[in-house]
Amino acid sequence: MIGIIGSGALATLFAARLDGHAEVVVIGSWKPQLAALRQGLTLIHLDGRQTEHQVAVTADPAAAGPVDAALVLVKSYQTPQAVARAQAALSANGVAVTLQNGAGNLEQLQAALGRRATLGVTSLGATLERPGVVRHAGEGPIHLAPPDLAAGDPAQNAAQKAFGDLVAALRAAGFDVQLTEDVAGLVWGKLAVNAGINPLTALLAVPNGFLAEHRACRRLMEAAAREVGAVAAAQGIVLPTGDPAAAALDVARRTAANRSSMLQDRMQGRPTEIDAICGAVVAAGERHGVPTPINHLFLRWMAARSNS
């Protein structure tokens, strides 16, 4: 069984697409969404088709388990609660995978679960139209790092099998899953894309594709992504995507119709992940003597918008 920790846009996209390929339970706390999901989940596909799905839903992680794998798909500021839910829901040898934005999420999971926790990144786009209805707004690969498990230990072998079963289910559901050992590269590669796209779309209230189509926006997006690449390089981290500016532009184009998670948060009056994205870049830049003026600017602008 796969437990999806979270009930937002990306979480429900995964739940809908995994339906029929694995036993899935959504573990969340947003009451209107959970109530809607109990009545059924509607997925609007990229081509406009609509499919209906019925997945298990609970607000009680202990009642969901034991699950063999937990996909953590909540906001970075909700990670402590997600860790507790994963602990309560997972089987003794279950694995947890964070697909969240920002930095520091894996460390929190590993503090509780040890080597059974690992991470992945994805540029998939999803927009929650209303409770119970999610739109698939952009395709993209999922890069996963296998958990760093000791060979020969029966418990570790069971955890490795749980991870392998998760990968197989994701692939059966049509996800493009690619495995990599470079955990730090994954984190900073996604940070580059998020830092370029999310703040600008949230500040301007525009979909991702707007940034690719307008020269001034594209330059700001690319500059923010390059700063992340420079901070990563100062730490000896190699980005899996190569040129971070090109990666951000590619994602903006492939998810052109998507409203970024940060924009969706602003529209709903929720806190954003700006501190875990641009804030993390600025802080690391200061530690390593790398200037990050565009990320710092985004950080200040988002703070000003939040206070206005």
Side-chain angles (χ1 to χ4, degrees):
M1 178 183 285
I2 298 172
I4 296 180
I5 312 294
S7 56
L10 204 57
T12 46
L13 173 67
F14 272 83
R17 289 186 59 175
L18 282 166
D19 181 35
H21 302 282
E23 191 176 358
V24 175
V25 57
V26 174
I27 306 167
S29 58
W30 182 20
K31 291 181 179 179
Q33 173 75 328
L34 297 186
L37 292 177
R38 290 188 179 100
Q39 302 304 311
L41 169 58
T42 300
L43 171 62
I44 305 173
H45 295 260
L46 287 171
D47 60 7
R49 290 182 301 112
Q50 294 190 23
T51 53
E52 303 298 323
H53 304 269
Q54 198 71 48
V55 296
V57 179
T58 184
D60 180 4
V67 301
D68 303 303
L71 283 177
V72 180
L73 288 159
V74 301
K75 303 300 181 184
S76 57
Y77 53 81
Q78 297 173 317
T79 300
Q81 298 96 314
V83 170
R85 290 175 189 156
Q87 281 184 294
L90 277 171
S91 66
N93 300 314
V95 296
V97 179
T98 167
L99 287 171
Q100 299 165 270
N101 292 332
N105 300 305
L106 175 62
E107 289 78 1
Q108 293 181 65
L109 273 174
Q110 288 185 331
L113 299 171
R115 292 181 173 184
R116 292 189 293 140
T118 187
L119 61 72
V121 301
T122 183
S123 56
L124 284 162
T127 300
L128 199 63
E129 298 289 317
R130 61 183 181 275
V133 181
V134 65
R135 179 182 296 276
H136 184 191
E139 195 58 88
I142 301 171
H143 295 270
L144 293 180
D148 182 18
L149 299 169
D153 183 326
Q156 302 283 289
N157 290 344
Q160 191 67 60
K161 181 182 184 303
F163 178 78
D165 290 344
L166 171 64
V167 171
L170 289 168
R171 286 174 171 163
F175 292 104
D176 175 13
V177 180
Q178 302 175 22
L179 302 182
T180 178
E181 301 288 343
D182 186 3
V183 173
L186 286 181
V187 172
W188 283 86
K190 185 169 186 179
L191 269 178
V193 171
N194 286 159
I197 293 176
N198 290 20
L200 266 180
T201 55
L203 287 162
L204 299 174
V206 295
N208 295 358
F210 185 93
L211 306 184
E213 295 168 0
H214 293 78
R215 186 177 181 183
C217 294
R218 185 170 67 248
R219 285 183 170 181
L220 279 172
M221 173 183 66
E222 291 173 340
R226 287 193 188 99
E227 288 179 2
V228 180
V231 175
Q235 301 173 80
I237 296 170
V238 178
L239 302 187
T241 52
D243 178 5
L249 180 59
D250 176 63
V251 172
R253 285 172 170 161
R254 283 193 289 102
T255 61
N258 188 48
R259 296 194 297 270
S260 74
S261 58
M262 196 172 290
L263 172 56
Q264 293 184 60
D265 288 339
R266 276 210 64 216
M267 292 172 65
Q268 297 297 325
R270 298 188 296 254
T272 73
E273 297 178 296
I274 191 68
D275 290 331
I277 298 174
C278 294
V281 174
V282 170
E286 290 174 349
R287 289 196 302 271
H288 294 277
V290 178
T292 55
I294 303 301
N295 278 271
H296 196 263
L297 188 64
F298 289 169
L299 193 59
R300 294 206 316 269
W301 281 350
M302 286 296 295
R305 280 295 181 93
S306 298
N307 295 329
S308 61

